[in-house]
Amino acid sequence: MAKNGDEHDEMKQHCFGTPGLWEERGVSRRDFLKFCTAMSAALALPVSLAPRIAEALESDSRPSVIWLEFQSCTGDTEALLRAANPTVGEIVLDVLSVDYAETIMAAAGHQAEEARLKTLKERSGKYIAVVEGAIPMKDNGVYCCVGGRSAVDIAREVCGGAMATITVGTCASYGGIPAASPNPTGAVGVKDAVPGATVINLPGCPVNTDNLVATVVHILTFGKLPATDSKGRPLFAYGKRIHDNCERRPHFDAGQYVEQWGDQAHRAGHCLYKMGCKGPETFHNCPTQRYNEKTNWPVGSGHGCAGCSEPHFWDTMTPFYRRLPNVPGFGVEATADKIGLGVAAATAAAFGIHGVVSALRKGDESDAGKEG
Amino acid sequence: MARNRSCLYEKYVWEVPVRLTHWVNVTAIIVLSVTGFYIGSPKTLGLVPADFVMGWVRVVHLTAGYAFAVSIASRIWWAFAGNRYAGWREFVPFVYPEGRRDMGRMFLYYLFLSRKVPHPTGHNALAGATYLLVFVLYLVMAGTGFALDAEHAPGGMMRVLLAPLYALFSNQGMRLTHHMGMWLLIAFAIHHIYSAWLMDVKERGGVMSSIFGGYKPVKRGE
Ligand code: HEM
Ligand code: HEM
Ligand code: SF4
């Protein structure tokens, strides 16, 4: 008798636990446990903690979530929603009670704002705030208003009263693209706008949904935020340098570089260092966790790392297709080496002429000891 | 004339640590510039992925970098422990009037506005002040170099020790600084070797050989 997968899973259910919340949502017990194990791996925890994660996710304390959207392109929401299949990760966010999220909530207008206020009041200090997009500070924050209130005003209220604020994407974390020079609206990240808030930064363009889910799972399981680096990013996801986990790294060490888009080396998957890859200075788990259900990541698909997850992204990481930034005060075509060579050549020329004049010049007297 | 010559004697000016660190630095800078140039704009020299061209270049660069750093530290120590010609005062002539006067004289000579070539026993004042800039450049190169290397281990000791540098520079700014520093050192080397030659010819004080042997001919009673 050939049993198909579903029947097999059903058997397991009966063996390993009561069908609950997850089964109701169409997630088999097996997939659920697989997910818990994957989460323990993503969080760099021992596998033995997987049951604890499962336990935490099965309890029915649904933390409320308020998802705020400011100066953003909605890319992070998109990343979350556009997964090909409903993922377990999505359902974790479902398990959270998302009380307010402009893009996905059913309520609108004053009704929606009421929902937000209700959560704020009833669950003060217990809800999680998720922020997407930068917050403009200039001119009292008039450059981004929702329901007649400025972003910074809303953020102060919502993030200030939250158990924790998770910033999704680089804009909410550090200001990102809205904060790029000349930053006309005075955009900043949440931590700068609301210094008192407990913030965990998940920069990236967009945020990797897996990391968002893992952070939420960590909070649900341990009741506290995961350990972070000096830029407020969780170490489990941002603790390793891209360059050190990159599948093209052997080509870097070997000395095999792409010189031009589409050349032989590019097609052979060689290192993108010369094409401006910023991997040697960027921290994210893209090479291992990858995007869209582990399908791929930029360097994997042949484009250098743009450094999207670092503070001051854009201003310091451009030009994307050059290794070094432009030298301030010189035109864009002047590379560091051209300028350097110019300095050296000018020195050589100046002292060369000096040498000729000196050699022709007679009658210099030295007060040295030696006599000619 | 004969009387003058008889009054000359060989004075021991550059002690061993000064000469040793000078030549260690020169060697290190040459090695660091050649390897650094490759790190900055590499050519495809690896034929198969199992090669280790960039790997070895970086090993050599880092090894030379450590030698360079030890040498710089030794020279700084000797600026306090060595003789007066090695001392730190030689590098800040602009803080005392005599030094300012000597710098001015040397500058006028360089501009062909004076025919008198000053001949001090130690560094000439202008050179001393220039070396201060060069030592600062050395420190910048070593600091940014170690910081670039420490980047891969955010929790590491080196990374923690160099924390102020990461606050001072953006990631890319640090690379650019390290890169441009090389060109400034190359420009300095061109000027420096030329000046050593010029002074050797014009001062007739044997400055060129002094950095090898340590002795300079000096008038008695000086
Ligand atoms: C006079 C001294 C030095 C010179 C001329 C020099 C030159 C260079 C150059 C030109 C580069 C390429 C920079 C780029 O384009 O990104 C480089 C990279 C590097 N240097 Fe040096 N360097 C010197 C000293 C040091 C020292 C003391 C260290 C510390 C151990 C060091 C560590 C490094 C590292 C780790 C890199 C690789 C940076 C990266 O990952 O992009 N350098 N060096
Ligand atoms: C063939 C190569 C070189 C020769 C013949 C040479 C010669 C000399 C001489 C004669 C002095 C001492 C006299 C004085 O100017 O006061 C000196 C000092 C110095 N040189 Fe060079 N030099 C060479 C290469 C370099 C290079 C490549 C650098 C660095 C880029 C360098 C950096 C220095 C520094 C910093 C001092 C001061 C030394 C101290 O007081 O510790 N030299 N050199
Ligand atoms: S492609 Fe980028 S991250 Fe990968 S090895 Fe090359 S430089 Fe490093």
Side-chain angles (χ1 to χ4, degrees):
Chain A
M1 191 181 85
K3 270 194 173 153
N4 70 25
D6 287 345
E7 276 168 340
H8 194 77
D9 283 341
E10 243 168 75
M11 263 188 57
K12 278 233 168 139
Q13 265 174 29
H14 293 303
C15 300
F16 290 112
T18 43
L21 188 66
W22 293 93
E23 283 75 5
E24 271 166 31
R25 288 162 189 274
V27 179
S28 71
R29 183 84 195 143
R30 180 187 199 167
D31 280 346
F32 176 63
L33 289 178
K34 244 163 68 183
F35 168 76
C36 294
T37 313
M39 276 301 124
S40 68
L43 286 164
L45 297 170
V47 173
S48 57
L49 279 178
R52 201 165 147 194
I53 294 176
E55 211 179 292
L57 295 186
E58 279 175 319
S59 72
D60 47 76
S61 60
R62 301 178 8 144
S64 300
V65 168
I66 297 181
W67 183 299
L68 299 175
E69 177 108 28
F70 299 132
Q71 287 180 311
S72 85
C73 66
T74 324
D76 303 291
T77 306
E78 286 289 318
L80 190 68
L81 301 178
R82 294 292 161 137
N85 314 300
T87 60
V88 184
E90 253 179 81
I91 294 167
V92 164
L93 288 164
D94 226 19
V95 166
L96 302 168
S97 121
V98 181
D99 295 342
Y100 182 90
E102 282 135 7
T103 315
I104 53 177
M105 65 192 167
H110 293 299
Q111 219 184 345
E113 296 300 318
E114 259 162 43
R116 183 164 63 79
L117 287 176
K118 192 161 152 260
T119 306
L120 279 183
K121 222 187 281 151
E122 288 174 6
R123 317 225 37 184
S124 174
K126 293 197 199 87
Y127 62 92
I128 297 175
V130 176
V131 181
E132 178 176 5
I135 299 172
M137 301 294 276
K138 242 186 219 168
D139 302 326
N140 290 326
V142 294
Y143 301 110
C144 178
C145 291
V146 180
R149 289 179 64 195
S150 71
V152 52
D153 209 24
I154 299 172
R156 275 195 192 119
E157 183 186 18
V158 174
C159 303
M163 168 177 88
T165 301
I166 303 174
T167 62
V168 292
T170 301
C171 300
S173 301
Y174 309 123
I177 290 170
S181 173
N183 193 357
T185 64
V188 296
V190 173
K191 190 70 200 175
D192 288 331
V194 192
T198 311
V199 178
I200 187 149
N201 289 329
L202 297 182
C205 196
V207 66
N208 190 330
T209 307
D210 293 349
N211 292 336
L212 173 58
V213 172
T215 305
V216 171
V217 165
H218 189 287
I219 296 173
L220 294 185
T221 307
F222 301 104
K224 60 174 189 199
L225 295 176
T228 57
D229 67 5
S230 59
K231 294 165 184 170
R233 308 175 292 192
L235 286 171
F236 74 80
Y238 301 84
K240 296 241 159 59
R241 188 166 65 154
I242 296 229
H243 190 53
D244 295 330
N245 276 341
C246 173
E247 66 254 36
R248 292 176 192 246
R249 179 62 187 265
H251 296 295
F252 173 84
D253 289 331
Q256 297 182 302
Y257 304 99
V258 176
E259 305 270 348
Q260 227 180 349
W261 300 118
D263 68 2
Q264 189 56 41
H266 194 212
R267 277 175 276 160
H270 291 177
C271 169
L272 296 159
Y273 185 72
K274 293 188 79 173
M275 306 309 287
C277 178
K278 304 298 185 297
E281 63 208 71
T282 52
F283 291 79
H284 205 156
N285 57 0
C286 311
T288 45
Q289 202 66 29
R290 303 177 170 230
Y291 280 81
N292 300 330
E293 280 138 75
K294 299 195 193 298
T295 309
N296 212 340
W297 67 297
V299 171
S301 62
H303 188 287
C305 168
C308 70
S309 308
E310 300 298 319
H312 311 296
F313 167 62
W314 200 270
D315 288 349
T316 65
M317 293 298 171
T318 46
F320 290 148
Y321 303 113
R322 285 230 196 108
R323 275 207 56 246
L324 293 176
N326 297 321
V327 183
F330 288 84
V332 285
E333 279 316 306
T335 61
D337 278 328
K338 277 189 202 155
I339 294 165
L341 199 59
V343 169
T347 314
F351 286 104
I353 295 167
H354 196 278
V356 171
V357 177
S358 297
L360 295 178
R361 209 163 116 107
K362 296 274 179 270
D364 286 354
E365 32 176 312
S366 167
D367 52 6
K370 257 183 192 160
E371 293 285 349
Chain B
M1 266 186 214
R3 194 193 50 214
N4 266 351
R5 192 171 309 193
S6 66
C7 290
L8 281 175
Y9 75 108
E10 292 285 327
K11 187 169 170 57
Y12 189 45
V13 181
W14 310 124
E15 297 155 300
V16 172
V18 174
R19 286 175 284 142
L20 192 66
T21 54
H22 180 266
W23 292 113
V24 169
N25 290 350
V26 172
T27 316
I29 287 170
I30 293 169
V31 172
L32 286 163
S33 300
V34 171
T35 50
F37 204 82
Y38 184 76
I39 300 172
S41 29
K43 297 277 162 289
T44 293
L45 296 179
L47 299 177
V48 292
D51 282 341
F52 200 58
V53 178
M54 178 58 102
W56 282 119
V57 167
R58 295 187 83 244
V59 168
V60 172
H61 193 84
L62 285 180
T63 311
Y66 275 91
F68 187 49
V70 170
S71 173
I72 300 169
S74 313
R75 184 62 183 86
I76 291 174
W77 164 64
W78 201 250
F80 297 93
N83 68 17
R84 56 174 284 213
Y85 307 112
W88 58 271
R89 276 186 193 80
E90 290 277 294
F91 300 97
V92 287
F94 41 85
V95 299
Y96 43 93
E98 199 190 339
R100 280 196 292 272
R101 189 199 65 204
D102 288 348
M103 277 175 79
R105 281 189 185 167
M106 196 64 216
F107 198 58
L108 291 179
Y109 176 73
Y110 265 116
L111 292 179
F112 304 122
L113 293 176
S114 152
R115 283 183 182 275
K116 252 183 119 47
V117 197
H119 174 64
T121 308
H123 300 301
N124 78 55
L126 199 56
T130 312
Y131 296 147
L132 179 67
L133 291 180
V134 175
F135 278 116
V136 168
L137 199 54
Y138 284 179
L139 289 175
V140 168
M141 289 309 280
T144 53
F146 281 107
L148 287 173
D149 184 40
E151 218 167 25
H152 75 280
M157 187 183 73
M158 187 91 90
R159 174 69 227 249
V160 174
L161 286 178
L162 294 171
L165 282 178
Y166 298 95
L168 211 57
F169 292 99
S170 70
N171 269 327
Q172 283 287 87
M174 193 185 283
R175 275 185 171 67
L176 187 63
T177 307
H178 195 75
H179 198 106
M180 292 311 277
M182 174 181 76
W183 285 110
L184 291 180
L185 278 176
I186 290 174
F188 165 76
I190 293 170
H191 141 77
H192 174 69
I193 295 168
Y194 164 73
S195 294
W197 166 80
L198 180 72
M199 289 304 131
D200 199 70
V201 173
K202 300 284 181 178
E203 278 181 356
R204 298 178 225 160
V207 70
M208 204 71 160
S209 65
S210 74
I211 196 68
F212 294 92
Y215 285 91
K216 272 187 170 183
V218 176
K219 270 188 212 161
R220 213 167 282 282
E222 245 178 37

